[in-house]
Amino acid sequence: MATGSEAAKPAEAVLEWNKQDNKRMLHAVYRVGDLDCTIKNYTECFGMKLLRKRDVPDEKYTNTFLEFGPEDTNFALELTYNYGVDKYDIGEGFGHIGIVNEDVYKFAENIKSKGGNITREPGPVKEGTTVIAFAQDPDGYWFALIQRAETPEPLCQIMLRVGDLERSIKFYEKALGMKLLRIKDVPDYKVPSIIWCVKNVAKFHSDERMSCNFFL
């Protein structure tokens, strides 16, 4: 709760912090049913590195961090295993996580050779030229494999769905300090596409429930 001088400030002034804050997206957290199996999938199939693994028996969970580069500069995935829970309902809110690779055809073949699951074979997007593929991890989480030039940050995108697009835009702009770059409407799919940036890039998609893609 705001107190003293903070409480007296108008809402607009309280939100000014985001303009001075030197921020970046750090990690995404989600739950998995078999931590060791998922770690093997991400390290062998995707080429990620295991940073650390921590067991907390008093609270009956284990978590681990994986990413493609140093933690002080790269976006990480934090996986949490809760004792005795081997399956989760992913629901409709989560869309996918994007991974950039210079050669998606080769990347997908490598994933398959390591026992990974490719659900959409590599090829250009509909009415476009960008080559993509889709993979699914052992828990059913989707990963978009996107062909682009080499980048120091392969984890490039998080796609989420939201229920009120205008309200979400206001939140990400005003509260988090993200910058709206452009909006593209895709009437065939009933999905307006909104591009944002937070030093890196975040992209939002929306269908009738509205969905969001963060490009890091």
Side-chain angles (χ1 to χ4, degrees):
M1 179 181 294
T3 59
S5 60
E6 283 192 357
K9 292 180 181 179
E12 293 78 7
V14 173
L15 293 174
E16 286 294 305
W17 69 269
N18 66 54
K19 295 180 180 178
Q20 288 80 40
D21 186 49
N22 186 24
K23 57 189 170 296
R24 67 181 180 88
M25 288 188 171
L26 298 177
H27 57 257
V29 186
Y30 50 99
R31 300 175 179 87
V32 299
D34 187 330
L35 188 56
D36 290 335
C37 179
T38 304
I39 290 172
K40 182 178 180 181
N41 182 263
Y42 289 12
T43 55
E44 294 186 2
C45 294
F46 297 149
M48 299 183 71
K49 298 175 182 178
L50 175 62
L51 293 179
R52 62 183 179 275
K53 185 177 180 181
R54 181 181 66 147
D55 190 37
V56 188
D58 289 347
E59 298 184 26
K60 299 182 179 180
Y61 78 87
T62 304
N63 72 353
T64 186
F65 285 79
L66 298 101
E67 58 189 43
F68 285 99
E71 191 171 6
D72 59 347
T73 58
N74 287 68
F75 187 76
L77 298 181
E78 179 183 351
L79 310 180
T80 298
Y81 167 71
N82 292 299
Y83 291 8
V85 183
D86 61 6
K87 188 177 181 180
Y88 288 94
D89 180 2
I90 296 174
E92 297 181 344
F94 174 80
H96 62 257
I97 294 170
I99 300 177
V100 166
N101 191 273
E102 289 184 285
D103 187 339
V104 165
Y105 293 94
K106 185 177 179 180
F107 191 25
E109 284 302 315
N110 180 68
I111 290 171
K112 288 191 286 187
S113 72
K114 299 293 179 59
N117 181 21
I118 295 295
T119 58
R120 194 266 202 197
E121 291 294 332
V125 295
K126 185 178 180 180
E127 298 181 2
T129 59
T130 302
V131 174
I132 66 167
F134 272 91
Q136 200 169 26
D137 81 356
D139 287 275
Y141 294 104
W142 292 85
F143 285 79
L145 314 178
I146 305 164
Q147 187 160 297
R148 291 185 196 159
E150 184 178 1
T151 171
E153 179 52 278
L155 281 173
C156 67
Q157 171 183 340
I158 300 174
M159 190 278 219
L160 305 173
R161 298 183 180 90
V162 298
D164 186 325
L165 184 58
E166 291 185 2
R167 185 178 182 184
S168 294
I169 290 173
K170 185 176 181 180
F171 171 78
Y172 288 109
E173 282 186 315
K174 300 297 184 182
L176 301 186
M178 298 177 77
K179 181 180 179 182
L180 176 62
L181 299 180
R182 63 181 180 271
I183 298 176
K184 178 183 178 182
D185 192 29
V186 188
D188 289 346
Y189 295 97
K190 298 182 180 179
V191 177
S193 180
I194 307 157
I195 311 286
W196 301 77
C197 124
V198 192
K199 283 201 168 180
N200 305 314
V201 180
K203 179 179 184 181
F204 284 49
H205 279 345
S206 171
D207 56 18
E208 292 170 318
R209 293 159 305 202
M210 293 181 318
S211 42
C212 315
N213 279 21
F214 297 77
F215 285 79
L216 309 171

